[in-house]
Amino acid sequence: MIWNEEFETLPREALEALQLKRLRATVERVYATVPFYKKKFDEMGIKPSHIKTLKDLQILPFTVKNDLRDNYPFGLFSVPMEQVVRVHASSGTTGKNIVVGYTKRDIDTWAELIARTLSCAGVHRGDIVHNAYGYGLFTGGLGLHYGAEKIGASVIPISGGNTKRQIIIMQDFGPTVITCTPSYALHLAEVAEEMGINPGKDFKLRVGCFGAEPWSETMRQQIEKKYNIDAIDIFGLSEVIGPGVSSECLEAKSGLHVFEDHFIPEIIDPDTGKTLPYGEKGELVFTSITKEAFPVIRYRSRDISVLYPEICKCGRTFVRMQRVTGRSDDMLIIRGVNVFPSQIESVLMQIEGVEPHYQLIVDREGNLDTLEVQVEVNEKVFSDEVKQLERLEKRIEKDIKELFGVTCKCSLVEPKSIQRSEGKAKRVIDKRKI
Ligand code: DLL
């Protein structure tokens, strides 16, 4: 089912003409209203009038996560705050969040994009959507919410957590659609089974839209089998809009359609920054071409994928991206929360007696991610009583939870016990098999 036939099936030529018109308007807009872009363009001798074809996008500079941090909180907004009706935030590379904003029209655009996403999965009016993405600063909960309402579905805004209650509600309210991270879906199924409930028989679910973290074909099969549903991959990132950047379709389940009338995707070589042709693997870069409050020019997502242009059997003409297989930076996604090792480090380094030698061990127990923070302490602290050390561990766990919302186990270890590296320190040991 296609939500917006007019745009989602545009012939390539017409689509490209529309993209160029919108791109030029966006470039003019950021040059005129965002000092960061004006300065960057001026330094490179670029004027908005230089954008004459879509290929000219490649002369524009990249935008990276640090640019958002440097302009924290509202420095990259392209409209005065009076026109910003919503803000969301996501994790930056250090302790500070990065902040994004939306005008009323942006919120409408976003709802349209989620309506398309849900329609890709065959969701329609009359469906009941159990939305277990987190509500709040994270874009998942509210993002899905507005789009589900737009198509006329009934939304259960359950948010994340409180798993047993979620299961009771799923039994009683009979949702036909579930939206959450894929790992949480598996966890929910496991808890349901422990409660004597068979997720494949006792729920009315028909389909699920899963994203916000990497997952594999194997996980798809597990989810589909356990719940007896179709599992659809949905993708997005806060900096670009949130969920609603691309989605798989139910017909093909083969690659995610990028909503190209709103975002222009590129694949680049993460080392050289060179744009790569369709079919080659590299880092996804997005330029927004309709956003008002927070337009982004060539935003480097750090997500690794491939773009392929073959027209899909569902009839959508948009280019597809392969499911995201990894990242070109060290960002971890732990239970749906984005975490950089540098953020954890900034917490550790504020504590007296803690040494700058640490390791993050990420694993999956059952279907839930676990994080262990192993950190060295100096001789003096290490010779303290066990109770003292335990107190310090608890404090670090609490600080990390409060600052980033991630539950972890902290283990203080003996001085010089963490393996030293000769080159780049190996901070992360990711044992998850997804
Ligand atoms: O995770 C937006 C979202 C919410 C997408 C709900 C889908 C569903 P951020 O918190 O800014 O936004 O995190 C964005 O999450 O750069 C990817 O690394 C990862 N990611 C998102 N969707 C997928 C997916 C939301 N389907 C970062 N597969 C992105 C793999 C994903 N990784």
Side-chain angles (χ1 to χ4, degrees), residues 70-83:
D70 294 346
N71 290 282
Y72 176 86
F74 307 140
L76 294 184
F77 286 11
S78 159
V79 295
M81 270 320 263
E82 297 95 88
Q83 290 177 38

Side-chain angles (χ1 to χ4, degrees), residues 157-359:
I158 189 85
S159 194
N162 220 332
T163 306
K164 285 198 172 134
R165 190 176 64 146
Q166 300 234 2
I167 289 159
I168 293 165
I169 285 182
M170 275 160 74
Q171 257 197 321
D172 295 348
F173 297 7
T176 46
V177 180
I178 180 165
T179 54
C180 62
T181 59
S183 58
Y184 192 58
L186 283 173
H187 178 64
L188 266 170
E190 196 177 63
V191 176
E193 280 162 358
E194 280 164 21
M195 290 163 72
I197 292 163
N198 179 339
K201 287 208 179 113
D202 300 335
F203 295 149
K204 296 208 178 93
L205 293 174
R206 184 183 79 248
V207 66
C209 296
F210 306 107
E213 64 184 11
W215 55 310
S216 58
E217 248 346 278
T218 318
M219 271 179 85
R220 188 205 309 265
Q221 282 158 18
Q222 285 174 350
I223 295 174
E224 292 193 330
K225 196 156 156 237
K226 274 210 181 304
Y227 284 97
N228 194 15
I229 60 170
D230 284 297
I232 298 295
D233 191 6
I234 69 170
F235 171 87
L237 56 162
S238 318
E239 296 88 330
V240 175
I241 201 160
V245 174
S246 65
S247 174
E248 272 183 343
C249 59
L250 191 59
E251 292 87 341
K253 282 189 199 161
S254 166
L256 296 85
H257 293 278
V258 181
F259 298 120
E260 281 183 285
D261 52 336
H262 293 274
F263 312 108
I264 304 181
E266 296 170 85
I267 289 280
I268 62 159
D269 176 329
D271 298 324
T272 62
K274 235 183 98 214
T275 307
L276 299 174
Y278 284 147
E280 282 193 33
K281 195 175 184 154
E283 181 184 327
L284 275 166
V285 168
F286 292 99
T287 299
S288 75
I289 49 173
T290 53
K291 280 209 301 175
E292 290 183 335
F294 190 81
V296 276
I297 302 292
R298 302 193 86 199
Y299 183 73
R300 288 190 60 164
S301 71
R302 296 285 178 182
D303 291 315
I304 302 295
S305 179
V306 179
L307 290 175
Y308 44 101
E310 293 78 21
I311 294 187
C312 181
K313 63 177 172 195
C314 72
R316 289 176 184 83
T317 49
F318 294 150
V319 73
R320 278 175 285 169
M321 54 178 259
Q322 191 185 61
R323 66 161 68 239
V324 168
T325 50
R327 292 189 53 91
S328 66
D329 65 4
D330 57 357
M331 187 177 93
L332 294 162
I333 305 185
I334 298 171
R335 296 197 190 184
V337 181
N338 304 350
V339 190
F340 286 92
S342 57
Q343 294 179 310
I344 308 268
E345 180 176 306
S346 66
V347 171
L348 298 176
M349 290 311 107
Q350 279 165 30
I351 296 172
E352 216 180 296
V354 167
E355 297 284 311
H357 301 291
Y358 66 94
Q359 219 155 34

